[in-house]
Structures are given as structure tokens and as C-alpha cells.
Amino acid sequence: MLLKDLIKEIKIKHIHGDSNIDITGIAYDSRKVKPGNLFVCIKGFQVDGHSYISQAIENGAVCVIIEQDITSVSIPTIQVENSRYALAMISAALYEHPSSKFQLIGVTGTNGKTTSTYLIKTMLELQGKKVGLIGTNQNMIGNQVLPTERTTPESLELQELFSEMVKQEVEFVVMEVSSHSLALNRVDGCHFDIGLFTNLTQDHLDFHGSMENYLKSKTKLFRQCKIGIINIDDDSSKYILAHGTCKMITFGIANKAAVQGKDVDISEKGVRFQVESVHGQGKIMLRIPGLFSVYNALGSLAVCQELGLTTQQVQNGLAIAKGVPGRVQVVRIDKDYTVIIDYAHTPDGLENIIQTIKDFAKGRVVTLFGCGGDRDSGKRPIMGEIAGRLSDFCVVTSDNPRTENPMQIINQILVGMKDTNCPYVMIENRNEAIEYALCNARKDDVIILAGKGHETYQEINGLKYPFDEKEIVQKILGEKTAEG
């Protein structure tokens, strides 16, 4: 593609050199530059792409996009205000705007994104549709599973993935849209048909700095889609409804909504509720327990109704939907107590899972949890208070400490637990902590292993070590386990 065609949708401050040259591809990592590529200089949090222009040229770059005013470059340069935005727009152009060739659904919020995407995918596929999925657990094209490194890929990889989905004749793509991806322009240039907002609770303040900035990032999706499906029971919905520019459709239980949930019944087997909307009314059943499951189901069915599914079709889809690995996942064991693995790593997520278990537990609720390192430290005492207030016993341990001292993280958690009077033990080594919880379990206890969910590793000092909690439980108990 000619350079002038690739850059026609971005705002350019200055351009030096010939824009009629042919571009063979795009790279933002100088090590991945190939002959004929356009190199985009990204100012990262650890490295600055402007420092690698010479390496990119040595590897064959024929043009470079920059933010800084650099004149001593031997190839054409294009100066822009925001190179991340430029990367997103030219990536979409390079792959001929693939997201306009299928219906794209974006799901954003603190909790519920992964489950909602799987519910939507299940309902659409039951109607014979070919669906792509992009998210935390995995990327998928139909039943084909693709690797994933982050919730929302970088814009170049995202557009490449979209292009592959077009080639495989995908009709719908449902993707998790993280606040990071919105703030860092990864989804700029995407043509969203529908955006779904699940909820907003404290998380990622190490990146956003404040809840206000966090909310503003989420709201960006609703200035980029045609239809917004909004959880009106969440306080943040007021801001999104006021500042979004798309058509808005609300769902909720406590407040009057366009898609209304009523007569909610929650048990250990799942949830049942009545739904009413302009598309009709019906009884919904989902085999995932917890009030949050009602909200996930309401938002997901509202999306599918806007995509043309009938009330009967969404009923059928939700009735067969399975839980997502690592979300309220029961580990099948031959014991008189229960072990549940859940990804809860935010205050709201932890409160939701513990309260859900309390609603049906016959014995103690034992919560094993920690907090991730190099992330929002302000939520640590909050999670400690929640766990202590709601649990009958806690095992405070390590999560993914990353580059932080695990004991420093644990001590911040304990600040929040001290006034709850909940008995607890502190065991830094997570494997040993799990063993303690299992070996000291009582009849009818429910042990929640919270925080890691689907992850099969533990990140310590920059290295990822194998850590699959299902396998660990299996090894400790010396028996075969299976997912619930």
C-alpha cells in the first residue's frame, strides 16, 4: 500500500520526504521491522521507540512515524501528536478496515466482561452464527483457540486478528475492551456496532490515577459504538448516559430499565429470573450462581436482542451456557467439602463471590486470597476488610507479587482485616496456603481460592512459574479432579 493512502486518516503535524513510497507492513518494535516497513515510534512506560529509529532503519524501515521533532533521519518521517492513535488508524487501513465487515460487540467494565462475552458467543452460535471472541482467557475463531497475552491486543495485532476473522467468514466478533486499551488508543479505528457496560468498581488506579479517569476511559467506548447497553443499577451509568453519544439501552433490576430483570431466584444451581423488554418477556435460567450472574445474563441478552435474537432464542442460549474457566469454578473432589476457584481480584469481585457462596453454603466460607504486585495498592486493605467481614475464616497469601515484596502486599491486606474479628492465618507461599486450607477443611466448608482463576502461572520477580490451582488441588489431595 502507498504511504499516502495509509496515512490519509491520521492528523499530521509535519511530513518530510516522499509519501508515494510503497509500504510492505507496519512495526512498532524495531526488532520486528522487515524491509519496506513503516516503523511507528511509541513512547512506552519503560522504553521509547524514538531511541530505536536507527535499528529500525538498519532492519529495513522505509518510513518512520514520530511524535518528537527529529530532522536527522535518512528516510521519510511523519510527525503526529499521538503515535498510538496513528498506529491504530494506519493498522486498520493496512488491513482494509476489517471490523466494518462483521458485527463487532465490545464489552467493558470492571467485572463480568469475560463471562458476558462467552454468554453472547453461546447465544449467537446456537443460532448457527460463526463468532469470533477476543478476551482475557483466550481468543477464538469459532471453536479454534488462539493464544492471548492481554485482555485487548495492541492495535496492530488486533487489526491483523480481525483480518484473519474476515478471511474465515466470521459474522460476529465479541471482545473484551479494557480501560487500558481505550486509554492507549488500541481500539481506535474499530467499528463497534454495540458496546456493553457491566459495572465499575475500584481497579487499575495505578494506571488511571483516579476513579474519574478510569470512568472516562470506559466511557470512550460509548462514543465509538452505534448502540450502548448500560447497567443502570451501577452508579457510573449516569456519567456514561450523559457523556456517551450512541443510542442507549438500559438494563437493571433495582432501577427501571428498558430491559428489566424481575423475580430473581438465586441458588447453588444457578439463577432464575423474569425479563421484560420491548422484545417480549420470558423466564431466564442460567447455571451460574450469584446476583452478578443475573446482571451478566441481562446485559448479554440485551445485546443479542439488539442483534435480532428473539426472547425464546436467548432463553435457549442462556439455558445451555456453561461457566467460564476460573469463574465460580467448582473443582470436583471426593471430599465432604467444596473447593471453588474464582478470578476475583478486585474489591467488588471478591465481595460478589463470597456473598454468592454465603447464600448457599451449609458450613464455613473459607476465603484464600492475596493481591497482585505492581498494581493498584489502594484496593489491598479494602479487599482485606471485605474478606474479613464476609468470611468465616481467611487464608491470606500471595497472588502474583511480580516485582514487589509479597509480605509487603500481605501486610497492606491485613490492615483492612484487623477490625473485622475474622480468624485468619497468613502463609506467604500460595501452594502451602492451599495445602493448609485443604488439610484443615471441615465438613460442608466451601473453600474459595480467589484471585488467579484461569491463570496457570504465578509471576514472581519478572518470571512466570507454572501454577495451575486445579492441578495443585489434585496433587495435594492425591486424586483426579475435573472442572465443574
Side-chain angles (χ1 to χ4, degrees), residues 397-434:
T397 185
S398 186
D399 191 287
N400 289 320
R402 300 185 176 89
T403 64
E404 281 195 68
N405 183 324
M407 282 307 305
Q408 179 178 322
I409 299 173
I410 289 170
N411 287 334
Q412 291 174 332
I413 293 171
L414 295 179
V415 169
M417 290 192 67
K418 64 181 181 181
D419 294 328
T420 65
N421 297 318
C422 177
Y424 70 89
V425 295
M426 183 278 293
I427 303 173
E428 178 187 332
N429 183 289
R430 193 174 178 100
N431 196 112
E432 294 176 4
I434 294 173

mmCIF file of all heavy atoms in Angstrom, residues 397-434:
data_model
loop_
_atom_site.group_PDB
_atom_site.id
_atom_site.type_symbol
_atom_site.label_atom_id
_atom_site.label_comp_id
_atom_site.label_asym_id
_atom_site.label_seq_id
_atom_site.Cartn_x
_atom_site.Cartn_y
_atom_site.Cartn_z
ATOM 1 N N THR A 397 -2.541 -14.858 51.556
ATOM 2 C CA THR A 397 -1.350 -15.401 50.913
ATOM 3 C C THR A 397 -0.906 -14.490 49.771
ATOM 4 O O THR A 397 -1.349 -13.351 49.648
ATOM 5 C CB THR A 397 -1.626 -16.840 50.422
ATOM 6 O OG1 THR A 397 -0.431 -17.398 49.907
ATOM 7 C CG2 THR A 397 -2.712 -16.859 49.352
ATOM 8 N N SER A 398 -0.055 -15.027 48.921
ATOM 9 C CA SER A 398 0.464 -14.274 47.780
ATOM 10 C C SER A 398 -0.386 -14.552 46.543
ATOM 11 O O SER A 398 -1.029 -15.594 46.423
ATOM 12 C CB SER A 398 1.915 -14.670 47.522
ATOM 13 O OG SER A 398 2.484 -13.867 46.521
ATOM 14 N N ASP A 399 -0.390 -13.610 45.610
ATOM 15 C CA ASP A 399 -1.088 -13.768 44.338
ATOM 16 C C ASP A 399 -0.023 -13.807 43.249
ATOM 17 O O ASP A 399 0.735 -14.758 43.146
ATOM 18 C CB ASP A 399 -2.087 -12.619 44.145
ATOM 19 C CG ASP A 399 -3.031 -12.829 42.986
ATOM 20 O OD1 ASP A 399 -2.580 -12.710 41.838
ATOM 21 O OD2 ASP A 399 -4.220 -13.115 43.214
ATOM 22 N N ASN A 400 0.063 -12.770 42.451
ATOM 23 C CA ASN A 400 1.188 -12.559 41.535
ATOM 24 C C ASN A 400 1.984 -11.368 42.078
ATOM 25 O O ASN A 400 1.678 -10.224 41.730
ATOM 26 C CB ASN A 400 0.716 -12.249 40.106
ATOM 27 C CG ASN A 400 0.119 -13.446 39.415
ATOM 28 O OD1 ASN A 400 0.618 -14.553 39.540
ATOM 29 N ND2 ASN A 400 -0.962 -13.226 38.684
ATOM 30 N N PRO A 401 2.975 -11.578 42.919
ATOM 31 C CA PRO A 401 3.675 -10.438 43.520
ATOM 32 C C PRO A 401 4.459 -9.604 42.518
ATOM 33 O O PRO A 401 4.818 -8.467 42.809
ATOM 34 C CB PRO A 401 4.599 -11.100 44.552
ATOM 35 C CG PRO A 401 4.790 -12.499 44.073
ATOM 36 C CD PRO A 401 3.485 -12.873 43.419
ATOM 37 N N ARG A 402 4.773 -10.213 41.368
ATOM 38 C CA ARG A 402 5.563 -9.536 40.333
ATOM 39 C C ARG A 402 6.868 -9.028 40.951
ATOM 40 O O ARG A 402 7.625 -9.816 41.484
ATOM 41 C CB ARG A 402 4.726 -8.453 39.658
ATOM 42 C CG ARG A 402 3.463 -9.013 38.983
ATOM 43 C CD ARG A 402 2.674 -7.982 38.215
ATOM 44 N NE ARG A 402 1.552 -8.600 37.525
ATOM 45 C CZ ARG A 402 0.335 -8.777 38.052
ATOM 46 N NH1 ARG A 402 0.071 -8.334 39.281
ATOM 47 N NH2 ARG A 402 -0.624 -9.371 37.373
ATOM 48 N N THR A 403 7.126 -7.724 40.916
ATOM 49 C CA THR A 403 8.416 -7.254 41.434
ATOM 50 C C THR A 403 8.333 -6.753 42.874
ATOM 51 O O THR A 403 9.320 -6.273 43.420
ATOM 52 C CB THR A 403 8.965 -6.124 40.545
ATOM 53 O OG1 THR A 403 8.090 -4.996 40.594
ATOM 54 C CG2 THR A 403 9.109 -6.586 39.100
ATOM 55 N N GLU A 404 7.161 -6.845 43.502
ATOM 56 C CA GLU A 404 7.000 -6.377 44.872
ATOM 57 C C GLU A 404 7.332 -7.483 45.880
ATOM 58 O O GLU A 404 7.286 -8.677 45.568
ATOM 59 C CB GLU A 404 5.568 -5.899 45.116
ATOM 60 C CG GLU A 404 5.276 -4.515 44.579
ATOM 61 C CD GLU A 404 3.990 -3.950 45.161
ATOM 62 O OE1 GLU A 404 3.963 -3.663 46.374
ATOM 63 O OE2 GLU A 404 3.009 -3.799 44.406
ATOM 64 N N ASN A 405 7.633 -7.058 47.104
ATOM 65 C CA ASN A 405 7.835 -7.987 48.212
ATOM 66 C C ASN A 405 6.476 -8.553 48.630
ATOM 67 O O ASN A 405 5.587 -7.795 49.025
ATOM 68 C CB ASN A 405 8.481 -7.246 49.384
ATOM 69 C CG ASN A 405 8.797 -8.159 50.555
ATOM 70 O OD1 ASN A 405 8.051 -9.082 50.843
ATOM 71 N ND2 ASN A 405 9.906 -7.905 51.223
ATOM 72 N N PRO A 406 6.291 -9.871 48.567
ATOM 73 C CA PRO A 406 4.981 -10.444 48.891
ATOM 74 C C PRO A 406 4.491 -10.077 50.290
ATOM 75 O O PRO A 406 3.293 -9.846 50.483
ATOM 76 C CB PRO A 406 5.221 -11.960 48.772
ATOM 77 C CG PRO A 406 6.386 -12.097 47.852
ATOM 78 C CD PRO A 406 7.252 -10.908 48.124
ATOM 79 N N MET A 407 5.406 -10.030 51.258
ATOM 80 C CA MET A 407 4.989 -9.720 52.627
ATOM 81 C C MET A 407 4.506 -8.283 52.750
ATOM 82 O O MET A 407 3.624 -7.983 53.567
ATOM 83 C CB MET A 407 6.129 -9.986 53.598
ATOM 84 C CG MET A 407 6.334 -11.457 53.929
ATOM 85 S SD MET A 407 4.812 -12.251 54.511
ATOM 86 C CE MET A 407 4.348 -11.195 55.873
ATOM 87 N N GLN A 408 5.057 -7.392 51.952
ATOM 88 C CA GLN A 408 4.594 -6.003 51.972
ATOM 89 C C GLN A 408 3.142 -5.935 51.504
ATOM 90 O O GLN A 408 2.319 -5.204 52.075
ATOM 91 C CB GLN A 408 5.480 -5.144 51.069
ATOM 92 C CG GLN A 408 5.059 -3.675 51.000
ATOM 93 C CD GLN A 408 6.006 -2.856 50.132
ATOM 94 O OE1 GLN A 408 7.209 -3.067 50.133
ATOM 95 N NE2 GLN A 408 5.436 -1.930 49.368
ATOM 96 N N ILE A 409 2.821 -6.695 50.474
ATOM 97 C CA ILE A 409 1.447 -6.740 49.969
ATOM 98 C C ILE A 409 0.515 -7.338 51.018
ATOM 99 O O ILE A 409 -0.565 -6.793 51.307
ATOM 100 C CB ILE A 409 1.384 -7.576 48.670
ATOM 101 C CG1 ILE A 409 2.257 -6.936 47.584
ATOM 102 C CG2 ILE A 409 -0.062 -7.712 48.191
ATOM 103 C CD1 ILE A 409 2.394 -7.779 46.321
ATOM 104 N N ILE A 410 0.931 -8.439 51.603
ATOM 105 C CA ILE A 410 0.112 -9.112 52.617
ATOM 106 C C ILE A 410 -0.152 -8.195 53.809
ATOM 107 O O ILE A 410 -1.279 -8.123 54.319
ATOM 108 C CB ILE A 410 0.799 -10.420 53.062
ATOM 109 C CG1 ILE A 410 0.718 -11.459 51.939
ATOM 110 C CG2 ILE A 410 0.161 -10.963 54.347
ATOM 111 C CD1 ILE A 410 1.554 -12.707 52.172
ATOM 112 N N ASN A 411 0.869 -7.478 54.260
ATOM 113 C CA ASN A 411 0.690 -6.572 55.401
ATOM 114 C C ASN A 411 -0.311 -5.461 55.084
ATOM 115 O O ASN A 411 -1.052 -5.020 55.975
ATOM 116 C CB ASN A 411 2.037 -5.980 55.811
ATOM 117 C CG ASN A 411 2.919 -6.999 56.523
ATOM 118 O OD1 ASN A 411 2.422 -7.942 57.136
ATOM 119 N ND2 ASN A 411 4.235 -6.817 56.426
ATOM 120 N N GLN A 412 -0.361 -5.010 53.833
ATOM 121 C CA GLN A 412 -1.348 -3.994 53.453
ATOM 122 C C GLN A 412 -2.755 -4.576 53.451
ATOM 123 O O GLN A 412 -3.723 -3.887 53.799
ATOM 124 C CB GLN A 412 -0.994 -3.421 52.078
ATOM 125 C CG GLN A 412 0.269 -2.564 52.090
ATOM 126 C CD GLN A 412 0.693 -2.118 50.701
ATOM 127 O OE1 GLN A 412 0.424 -2.784 49.709
ATOM 128 N NE2 GLN A 412 1.360 -0.975 50.630
ATOM 129 N N ILE A 413 -2.884 -5.849 53.085
ATOM 130 C CA ILE A 413 -4.183 -6.523 53.155
ATOM 131 C C ILE A 413 -4.645 -6.622 54.599
ATOM 132 O O ILE A 413 -5.809 -6.347 54.926
ATOM 133 C CB ILE A 413 -4.093 -7.937 52.532
ATOM 134 C CG1 ILE A 413 -3.836 -7.854 51.021
ATOM 135 C CG2 ILE A 413 -5.367 -8.735 52.811
ATOM 136 C CD1 ILE A 413 -3.518 -9.195 50.371
ATOM 137 N N LEU A 414 -3.718 -6.984 55.495
ATOM 138 C CA LEU A 414 -4.065 -7.214 56.903
ATOM 139 C C LEU A 414 -4.522 -5.943 57.607
ATOM 140 O O LEU A 414 -5.266 -6.009 58.591
ATOM 141 C CB LEU A 414 -2.878 -7.828 57.639
ATOM 142 C CG LEU A 414 -2.462 -9.237 57.169
ATOM 143 C CD1 LEU A 414 -1.258 -9.729 57.965
ATOM 144 C CD2 LEU A 414 -3.626 -10.210 57.290
ATOM 145 N N VAL A 415 -4.105 -4.779 57.099
ATOM 146 C CA VAL A 415 -4.576 -3.504 57.666
ATOM 147 C C VAL A 415 -6.097 -3.440 57.609
ATOM 148 O O VAL A 415 -6.763 -2.970 58.537
ATOM 149 C CB VAL A 415 -3.955 -2.313 56.906
ATOM 150 C CG1 VAL A 415 -4.643 -1.010 57.298
ATOM 151 C CG2 VAL A 415 -2.461 -2.217 57.185
ATOM 152 N N GLY A 416 -6.658 -3.932 56.516
ATOM 153 C CA GLY A 416 -8.105 -3.904 56.363
ATOM 154 C C GLY A 416 -8.827 -4.991 57.142
ATOM 155 O O GLY A 416 -10.020 -4.882 57.426
ATOM 156 N N MET A 417 -8.112 -6.051 57.498
ATOM 157 C CA MET A 417 -8.738 -7.171 58.204
ATOM 158 C C MET A 417 -8.776 -6.983 59.713
ATOM 159 O O MET A 417 -9.584 -7.605 60.411
ATOM 160 C CB MET A 417 -7.994 -8.474 57.890
ATOM 161 C CG MET A 417 -8.174 -8.975 56.475
ATOM 162 S SD MET A 417 -7.563 -10.666 56.298
ATOM 163 C CE MET A 417 -8.736 -11.556 57.324
ATOM 164 N N LYS A 418 -7.941 -6.115 60.239
ATOM 165 C CA LYS A 418 -7.696 -6.083 61.686
ATOM 166 C C LYS A 418 -8.940 -5.781 62.521
ATOM 167 O O LYS A 418 -9.055 -6.237 63.661
ATOM 168 C CB LYS A 418 -6.595 -5.082 62.014
ATOM 169 C CG LYS A 418 -6.924 -3.628 61.680
ATOM 170 C CD LYS A 418 -5.749 -2.706 62.012
ATOM 171 C CE LYS A 418 -6.078 -1.247 61.708
ATOM 172 N NZ LYS A 418 -4.946 -0.353 62.011
ATOM 173 N N ASP A 419 -9.884 -5.010 61.977
ATOM 174 C CA ASP A 419 -11.071 -4.641 62.752
ATOM 175 C C ASP A 419 -12.277 -5.526 62.453
ATOM 176 O O ASP A 419 -13.390 -5.245 62.910
ATOM 177 C CB ASP A 419 -11.442 -3.176 62.480
ATOM 178 C CG ASP A 419 -10.378 -2.209 62.989
ATOM 179 O OD1 ASP A 419 -9.735 -2.527 64.005
ATOM 180 O OD2 ASP A 419 -10.192 -1.150 62.360
ATOM 181 N N THR A 420 -12.084 -6.599 61.692
ATOM 182 C CA THR A 420 -13.220 -7.450 61.321
ATOM 183 C C THR A 420 -13.438 -8.607 62.285
ATOM 184 O O THR A 420 -14.477 -9.255 62.251
ATOM 185 C CB THR A 420 -13.008 -8.036 59.912
ATOM 186 O OG1 THR A 420 -11.876 -8.921 59.925
ATOM 187 C CG2 THR A 420 -12.785 -6.926 58.892
ATOM 188 N N ASN A 421 -12.441 -8.914 63.111
ATOM 189 C CA ASN A 421 -12.516 -10.029 64.062
ATOM 190 C C ASN A 421 -12.631 -11.390 63.389
ATOM 191 O O ASN A 421 -13.048 -12.370 64.019
ATOM 192 C CB ASN A 421 -13.697 -9.841 65.041
ATOM 193 C CG ASN A 421 -13.544 -8.604 65.900
ATOM 194 O OD1 ASN A 421 -12.448 -8.317 66.381
ATOM 195 N ND2 ASN A 421 -14.637 -7.857 66.073
ATOM 196 N N CYS A 422 -12.279 -11.457 62.120
ATOM 197 C CA CYS A 422 -12.312 -12.738 61.415
ATOM 198 C C CYS A 422 -11.032 -13.507 61.709
ATOM 199 O O CYS A 422 -9.929 -12.957 61.566
ATOM 200 C CB CYS A 422 -12.443 -12.512 59.914
ATOM 201 S SG CYS A 422 -12.402 -14.026 58.926
ATOM 202 N N PRO A 423 -11.121 -14.771 62.134
ATOM 203 C CA PRO A 423 -9.892 -15.552 62.329
ATOM 204 C C PRO A 423 -9.198 -15.791 60.987
ATOM 205 O O PRO A 423 -9.861 -15.980 59.962
ATOM 206 C CB PRO A 423 -10.398 -16.861 62.929
ATOM 207 C CG PRO A 423 -11.827 -16.955 62.518
ATOM 208 C CD PRO A 423 -12.337 -15.545 62.440
ATOM 209 N N TYR A 424 -7.858 -15.766 61.005
ATOM 210 C CA TYR A 424 -7.130 -15.952 59.760
ATOM 211 C C TYR A 424 -5.745 -16.511 60.044
ATOM 212 O O TYR A 424 -5.254 -16.474 61.175
ATOM 213 C CB TYR A 424 -7.012 -14.631 58.998
ATOM 214 C CG TYR A 424 -6.082 -13.618 59.642
ATOM 215 C CD1 TYR A 424 -4.716 -13.592 59.340
ATOM 216 C CD2 TYR A 424 -6.559 -12.689 60.569
ATOM 217 C CE1 TYR A 424 -3.863 -12.665 59.931
ATOM 218 C CE2 TYR A 424 -5.731 -11.765 61.166
ATOM 219 C CZ TYR A 424 -4.373 -11.763 60.845
ATOM 220 O OH TYR A 424 -3.533 -10.858 61.446
ATOM 221 N N VAL A 425 -5.136 -17.024 58.986
ATOM 222 C CA VAL A 425 -3.722 -17.353 59.021
ATOM 223 C C VAL A 425 -3.070 -16.640 57.854
ATOM 224 O O VAL A 425 -3.712 -16.329 56.856
ATOM 225 C CB VAL A 425 -3.458 -18.879 58.930
ATOM 226 C CG1 VAL A 425 -4.012 -19.591 60.139
ATOM 227 C CG2 VAL A 425 -4.021 -19.459 57.642
ATOM 228 N N MET A 426 -1.786 -16.374 57.982
ATOM 229 C CA MET A 426 -1.020 -15.736 56.929
ATOM 230 C C MET A 426 0.071 -16.714 56.499
ATOM 231 O O MET A 426 0.920 -17.097 57.294
ATOM 232 C CB MET A 426 -0.428 -14.413 57.425
ATOM 233 C CG MET A 426 0.340 -13.632 56.365
ATOM 234 S SD MET A 426 2.039 -14.257 56.166
ATOM 235 C CE MET A 426 2.731 -13.808 57.735
ATOM 236 N N ILE A 427 0.009 -17.153 55.242
ATOM 237 C CA ILE A 427 1.007 -18.077 54.695
ATOM 238 C C ILE A 427 1.452 -17.518 53.342
ATOM 239 O O ILE A 427 0.691 -17.539 52.376
ATOM 240 C CB ILE A 427 0.429 -19.504 54.530
ATOM 241 C CG1 ILE A 427 -0.107 -20.025 55.864
ATOM 242 C CG2 ILE A 427 1.487 -20.437 53.958
ATOM 243 C CD1 ILE A 427 -0.833 -21.349 55.761
ATOM 244 N N GLU A 428 2.649 -17.016 53.281
ATOM 245 C CA GLU A 428 3.112 -16.325 52.067
ATOM 246 C C GLU A 428 3.106 -17.239 50.838
ATOM 247 O O GLU A 428 2.631 -16.845 49.764
ATOM 248 C CB GLU A 428 4.521 -15.779 52.285
ATOM 249 C CG GLU A 428 5.094 -15.091 51.040
ATOM 250 C CD GLU A 428 6.550 -14.696 51.226
ATOM 251 O OE1 GLU A 428 6.963 -14.448 52.377
ATOM 252 O OE2 GLU A 428 7.277 -14.656 50.218
ATOM 253 N N ASN A 429 3.629 -18.442 50.970
ATOM 254 C CA ASN A 429 3.699 -19.366 49.840
ATOM 255 C C ASN A 429 2.292 -19.862 49.485
ATOM 256 O O ASN A 429 1.625 -20.506 50.290
ATOM 257 C CB ASN A 429 4.600 -20.553 50.192
ATOM 258 C CG ASN A 429 4.780 -21.511 49.038
ATOM 259 O OD1 ASN A 429 3.867 -22.226 48.652
ATOM 260 N ND2 ASN A 429 5.995 -21.532 48.485
ATOM 261 N N ARG A 430 1.835 -19.551 48.268
ATOM 262 C CA ARG A 430 0.443 -19.852 47.916
ATOM 263 C C ARG A 430 0.182 -21.356 47.866
ATOM 264 O O ARG A 430 -0.901 -21.812 48.223
ATOM 265 C CB ARG A 430 0.087 -19.190 46.583
ATOM 266 C CG ARG A 430 -1.435 -19.195 46.300
ATOM 267 C CD ARG A 430 -1.772 -18.399 45.057
ATOM 268 N NE ARG A 430 -3.198 -18.452 44.765
ATOM 269 C CZ ARG A 430 -4.085 -17.509 45.059
ATOM 270 N NH1 ARG A 430 -3.673 -16.412 45.686
ATOM 271 N NH2 ARG A 430 -5.360 -17.635 44.737
ATOM 272 N N ASN A 431 1.143 -22.128 47.412
ATOM 273 C CA ASN A 431 0.980 -23.580 47.382
ATOM 274 C C ASN A 431 0.773 -24.117 48.798
ATOM 275 O O ASN A 431 -0.121 -24.935 49.051
ATOM 276 C CB ASN A 431 2.195 -24.237 46.735
ATOM 277 C CG ASN A 431 1.952 -25.670 46.323
ATOM 278 O OD1 ASN A 431 1.919 -26.012 45.145
ATOM 279 N ND2 ASN A 431 1.778 -26.550 47.298
ATOM 280 N N GLU A 432 1.600 -23.653 49.728
ATOM 281 C CA GLU A 432 1.470 -24.085 51.121
ATOM 282 C C GLU A 432 0.154 -23.582 51.720
ATOM 283 O O GLU A 432 -0.457 -24.266 52.553
ATOM 284 C CB GLU A 432 2.657 -23.580 51.927
ATOM 285 C CG GLU A 432 3.988 -24.198 51.517
ATOM 286 C CD GLU A 432 5.172 -23.602 52.273
ATOM 287 O OE1 GLU A 432 4.929 -22.762 53.176
ATOM 288 O OE2 GLU A 432 6.316 -23.981 51.969
ATOM 289 N N ALA A 433 -0.268 -22.408 51.295
ATOM 290 C CA ALA A 433 -1.528 -21.858 51.794
ATOM 291 C C ALA A 433 -2.708 -22.721 51.356
ATOM 292 O O ALA A 433 -3.632 -23.003 52.148
ATOM 293 C CB ALA A 433 -1.708 -20.424 51.300
ATOM 294 N N ILE A 434 -2.691 -23.161 50.091
ATOM 295 C CA ILE A 434 -3.758 -24.031 49.592
ATOM 296 C C ILE A 434 -3.758 -25.349 50.360
ATOM 297 O O ILE A 434 -4.808 -25.869 50.752
ATOM 298 C CB ILE A 434 -3.602 -24.257 48.074
ATOM 299 C CG1 ILE A 434 -3.828 -22.936 47.314
ATOM 300 C CG2 ILE A 434 -4.575 -25.331 47.585
ATOM 301 C CD1 ILE A 434 -3.528 -23.014 45.837
#
